[in-house]
Structures are given as structure tokens and as C-alpha cells.
């Protein structure tokens, strides 16, 4: 009788241990990104993400001769691979690599399609101002870095003719990206109300690759 009782208690022990571990284990949660643009995205952490951007336009009418130099894709898909690392509490670095697919459809002619690597960007964000108060937090940052001409610029049509710049995945030029960010938390004394501003001027540096 005692042996059966001991066996019965032993059989229930693993289940009891599992339940105790489940109820007593500490909750684990990943660090979320900063919702505003002025602070670093992941202070002391990192982010690896994938983003898809689709753009569609109406079909082009029948064109006689070569494709116009101002032609734009009728369908475009940009797949962005983003790696961001907050290596210091006021700094983060971002590497953005796009993969671009362009389709150009015209009535009565075969579609032109091409996929290639787009222009990569390497950006550094520096938060140079932060002030905390009972109302909230005021922050300001600057983001800068080059756009590198890693994208393809040699796509051709079925006849071997070079496609116009608007249909190429890359631009063939080196540009300097510069942006200023400002965040004001606690607008109108409401803690959850945030004013967020980003200013991106026209490219300051443009070097054509020959």
C-alpha cells in the first residue's frame, strides 16, 4: 500500500515542477525601438529588419522607338535590409541595403523587367541635446552619412539598349545624406502627446561615377 502511494506521488512530481516553473519564471521581453526620431533607435542594442515597398503606376501607351529618358517603372519593389546598432547612448549607426525590382510595361510590347542591388546608405545619428523635465523630454539629433553607388546601372532591354536612369536600380552617384531631428514629449502638458520633426535638405554632395 505504501509502495503504491509513493509511486503515485512520484508520478505527479514532474507535472508539479513544470507548473511551478511556468508560474514562477520571470517574464522576458525584448527592448522596443524608440518611437521618436530624435533619440537613438536602440540605445545599447541592435536591430535587424526587412522592409518591402511596392509602387505601381498605370500602363504606358504604345511608344514608337526607344524608351523615353524620363520613363518610370510601372511596377517597382524595393526590399530594404536594415541593420542598426546603438553602440553608445547618444549614437547609433545604420546600414541600409536595398534590392530593387523594376517592371516597365507598355501596351502592345513585351514587358521590361530587371532586378539588382540598389544604392546602400551608411548613416550615423548623434543626439546632441536632451533635457528632461516634469512635462517630458526635449531631444535634438543630427543624422548624416553617404549614399554609396553600389546599385546596378547597366540594365538593358531585349535589344541590348541601355535603359534610362529612371529604370535602373542604382543612381550611379555618391550623395551625402543629412537630416535634423527634434522631439518634444509632453505637448500641451499631455505626457503621451509628442511633437516630432525631421528635416532633410537637398543632397549636399553629388559625385557622378564615370
Amino acid at each position: 500500500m505504501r509502495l503504491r502511494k509513493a509511486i503515485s506521488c512520484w508520478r505527479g512530481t514532474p507535472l508539479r515542477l513544470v507548473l511551478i516553473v511556468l508560474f514562477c519564471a520571470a517574464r522576458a521581453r525584448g527592448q522596443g525601438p524608440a518611437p521618436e526620431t530624435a533619440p537613438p533607435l536602440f540605445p545599447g542594442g541592435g536591430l535587424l529588419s526587412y522592409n518591402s515597398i511596392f509602387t505601381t503606376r498605370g500602363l504606358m501607351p504604345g511608344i514608337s522607338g526607344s524608351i523615353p529618358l524620363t520613363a518610370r517603372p510601372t511596377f517597382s519593389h524595393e526590399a530594404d535590409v536594415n541593420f542598426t546598432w546603438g553602440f553608445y547612448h547618444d549614437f547609433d549607426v545604420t546600414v541600409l541595403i536595398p534590392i530593387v525590382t523594376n517592371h516597365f510595361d507598355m501596351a502592345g510590347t513585351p514587358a521590361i523587367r530587371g532586378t539588382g542591388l540598389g544604392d546602400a546608405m551608411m548613416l550615423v545619428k548623434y543626439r546632441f541635446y536632451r533635457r528632461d523635465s516634469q512635462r517630458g523630454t526635449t531631444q535634438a539629433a543630427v543624422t548624416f552619412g553617404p549614399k554609396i553607388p553600389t546599385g546596378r546601372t547597366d540594365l538593358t532591354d531585349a535589344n541590348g539598349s541601355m535603359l534610362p536612369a529612371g529604370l535602373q536600380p542604382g543612381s550611379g552617384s555618391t550623395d551625402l545624406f543629412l537630416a535634423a531631428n527634434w522631439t518634444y514629449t509632453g505637448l500641451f502638458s499631455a505626457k503621451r502627446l509628442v511633437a516630432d520633426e525631421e528635416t532633410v535638405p537637398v543632397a549636399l554632395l553629388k559625385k557622378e561615377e564615370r
Side-chain angles (χ1 to χ4, degrees):
M1 186 68 179
R2 292 181 179 177
L3 181 60
R4 290 182 179 178
K5 187 176 180 180
I7 293 175
S8 177
C9 293
W10 182 84
R11 287 178 178 175
T13 300
L15 179 59
R16 293 173 186 173
L17 290 176
V18 171
L19 293 176
I20 291 174
V21 170
L22 290 177
F23 282 104
C24 296
R27 294 180 59 187
R29 48 184 295 183
Q31 178 188 10
E36 302 90 10
T37 60
L41 183 63
F42 273 95
L47 167 69
L48 180 62
S49 67
Y50 172 85
N51 184 38
S52 288
I53 303 172
F54 295 90
T55 304
T56 59
R57 296 179 177 86
L59 294 178
M60 294 290 295
I63 300 174
S64 59
S66 60
I67 302 175
L69 296 178
T70 57
R72 303 293 295 170
T74 54
F75 171 84
S76 178
H77 172 232
E78 180 175 329
D80 293 331
V81 179
N82 184 333
F83 172 72
T84 300
W85 176 37
F87 62 94
Y88 194 64
H89 63 82
D90 284 331
F91 289 87
D92 65 25
V93 60
T94 298
V95 178
L96 182 65
I97 301 176
I99 301 174
V100 182
T101 298
N102 288 332
H103 295 183
F104 185 71
D105 298 323
M106 296 178 294
T109 59
I112 297 174
R113 301 181 179 183
T115 299
L117 191 67
D119 292 342
M121 298 184 70
M122 299 182 63
L123 304 176
V124 174
K125 176 185 286 185
Y126 169 50
R127 178 177 57 185
F128 59 88
Y129 179 80
R130 174 173 179 172
R131 181 179 181 184
D132 299 322
S133 64
Q134 295 181 351
R135 168 199 49 77
T137 305
T138 303
Q139 303 178 80
V142 60
T143 303
F144 58 93
K147 179 180 71 65
I148 306 171
T150 56
R152 292 190 59 183
T153 58
D154 58 352
L155 294 183
T156 59
D157 59 16
N159 299 323
S161 301
M162 189 71 68
L163 296 180
L167 299 179
Q168 300 288 349
S171 65
S173 66
T174 301
D175 301 311
L176 176 63
F177 178 88
L178 178 64
N181 305 93
W182 174 78
T183 299
Y184 186 87
T185 306
L187 189 64
F188 303 126
S189 299
K191 291 184 178 180
R192 295 185 178 273
L193 190 58
V194 178
D196 196 82
E197 177 67 24
E198 180 177 27
T199 303
V200 182
V202 181
L204 301 179
L205 173 65
K206 190 175 185 66
K207 180 181 178 183
E208 297 292 339
E209 298 294 328
R210 298 296 181 182

